[in-house]
């Protein structure tokens, strides 16, 4: 079997984009743009983790923020208790990943036997329970007030933190891409399309869904750790429903089941929030910018029902199919000439 070449058009384009993002901080001195792009990368990681559930497994979760918050609190508490060195920071990320893996495994076993909205509502209930625990455990989490902490000294330079988050994004994307392209990922897609038929083929669908849930939880915790360090502050807002809704909307707007789509969705939403809130300071009409933001969501769903990337891929596929058909179909004049030759009317 011929091995697929890694130098495909999509891989080349993505590599060029990655190189351009690496170069940006060396050619631009805009601190605002650097911070904005860093936030896009962080929420892009979160949206990719949600896409593993929604796009490749067909699971809708309303409690995804609990893994994001678990990573954020793990990093914040450990950096607050110990020295703010790079080694401690990496250790805090690992702790958040391990805790999220255990929690997602436990939640997956409890809830993934349920179907449709029952699963979504139960994950929302468990997320609410975790949020209450964080609010009441004030000796550690400081409750709703939250607390500040010191990030590693190397991240005092925003460019270094930008490059670190970008590296995390690239590594996460490669891991997710390999995961969904592997046989295990193909089974998850089969589960999304028809779980009963997949089970009838002998696959234990619950096991595969739990694996996807654990991986999505681990990746979400990484984004939470990075988010906490970007703010140098953490409170219960990192476990709010808004975080889950942001991840859901980024995935839907960008394109469900594409991995690249959530990154584009994160870019669109973060840029829209930044510039609309900025316009509100100068123009009174934009003071209710959240309404305009809602209109953007509605228009995106109407004109891009499969998301930006999904709609583009659909249109490209239709164009490619039409072009192939036109190339295989001979001109009408040649058809008539051939028919006349067959009847002997034309020598």
């Amino acid at each position: 079997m011929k091995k697929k070449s890694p130098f495909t058009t999509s891989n080349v384009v993505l590599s060029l984009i990655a190189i351009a993002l690496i170069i940006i901080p060396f050619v631009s001195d805009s601190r605002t743009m650097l911070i904005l792009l860093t936030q896009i990368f962080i929420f892009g990681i979160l949206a990719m983790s949600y896409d593993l559930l929604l796009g490749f497994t067909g699971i809708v979760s309303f409690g995804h923020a609990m893994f994001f918050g678990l990573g954020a609190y793990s990093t914040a508490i450990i950096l607050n208790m110990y020295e703010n060195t790079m080694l401690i920071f990496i250790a805090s990320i690992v702790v958040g990943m391990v805790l999220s893996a255990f929690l997602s495994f436990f939640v997956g076993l409890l809830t993934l036997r349920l179907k449709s909205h029952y699963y979504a509502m139960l994950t929302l209930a468990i997320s609410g329970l975790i949020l209450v625990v964080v609010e009441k455990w004030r000796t550690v989490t400081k409750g709703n007030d939250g607390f500040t902490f010191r990030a590693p000294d190397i991240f005092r330079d925003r460019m270094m933190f930008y490059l670190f988050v970008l590296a995390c994004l690239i590594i996460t994307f490669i891991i997710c891409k390999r995961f969904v392209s592997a046989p295990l990922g193909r089974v998850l897609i089969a589960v999304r399309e028809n779980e009963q038929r997949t089970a009838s083929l002998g696959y234990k669908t619950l096991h595969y869904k739990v694996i996807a849930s654990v991986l999505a939880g681990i990746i979400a915790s990484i984004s939470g750790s990075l988010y906490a360090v970007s703010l140098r502050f953490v409170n219960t807002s990192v476990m709010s429903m808004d975080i889950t809704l942001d991840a859901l909307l980024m995935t839907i707007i960008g394109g469900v089941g594409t991995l690249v789509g959530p990154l584009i969705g994160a870019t669109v939403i973060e840029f829209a929030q930044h510039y609309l809130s900025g316009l509100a300071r100068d123009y009174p009409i934009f003071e209710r910018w959240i309404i305009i933001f809602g209109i953007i969501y509605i228009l995106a769903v109407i004109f891009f029902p499969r998301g930006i990337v999904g709609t583009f891929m659909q249109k490209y596929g239709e164009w490619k199919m039409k072009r192939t058909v036109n190339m295989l179909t001979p001109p009408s004049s040649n058809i008539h000439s051939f028919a006349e030759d067959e009847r002997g009317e034309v020598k």
Side-chain angles (χ1 to χ4, degrees), residues 17 31 41-42 47 71 124 130 144 153 178 218 224-225 249 295 341 345:
I17 293 174
R31 179 181 173 85
F41 298 158
I42 292 171
L124 177 61
I130 300 295
N144 291 326
D153 292 336
R178 295 294 298 271
I218 290 173
S225 296
L249 291 171
I295 295 173
D341 285 340
E345 297 179 4

Side-chain angles (χ1 to χ4, degrees), residues 56-69:
F56 292 95
T57 317
I59 298 173
V60 179
S61 172
F62 287 157
H64 205 57
M66 59 183 163
F67 307 116
F68 182 86

Side-chain angles (χ1 to χ4, degrees), residues 183-308:
L184 192 150
R186 299 299 180 185
V187 175
L188 290 176
I189 295 175
V191 170
R192 179 195 66 191
E193 297 298 327
N194 194 323
E195 184 174 351
Q196 291 182 347
R197 181 174 295 179
T198 306
S200 68
L201 294 175
Y203 293 102
K204 296 182 178 179
T205 57
L206 177 62
H207 294 179
Y208 288 94
K209 291 195 291 184
V210 169
I211 291 172
S213 176
V214 170
L215 181 60
I218 290 173
I219 294 174
S221 74
I222 295 173
S223 63
S225 296
L226 297 174
Y227 181 74
V229 173
S230 70
L231 299 180
R232 274 75 163 176
F233 171 79
V234 68
N235 66 359
T236 53
S237 65
V238 296
M239 287 190 173
S240 67
M241 185 63 181
D242 292 343
I243 298 294
T244 300
L245 291 179
D246 281 344
L248 175 62
L249 291 171
M250 289 172 185
T251 304
I252 292 175
I253 290 176
V256 176
T258 60
L259 287 183
V260 177
L263 301 180
I264 295 178
T267 303
V268 171
I269 289 178
E270 289 299 314
F271 266 107
Q273 286 181 342
H274 174 75
Y275 285 108
L276 286 176
S277 59
L279 288 172
R281 292 192 295 266
D282 300 324
Y283 304 98
I285 193 174
F286 289 102
E287 288 181 357
R288 298 290 182 263
W289 62 271
I290 194 67
I291 298 176
I292 302 174
F293 202 39
I295 295 173
I296 293 175
Y297 285 146
I298 295 171
L299 293 177
V301 172
I302 292 174
F303 292 103
F304 300 98
R306 296 193 177 187
I308 296 173

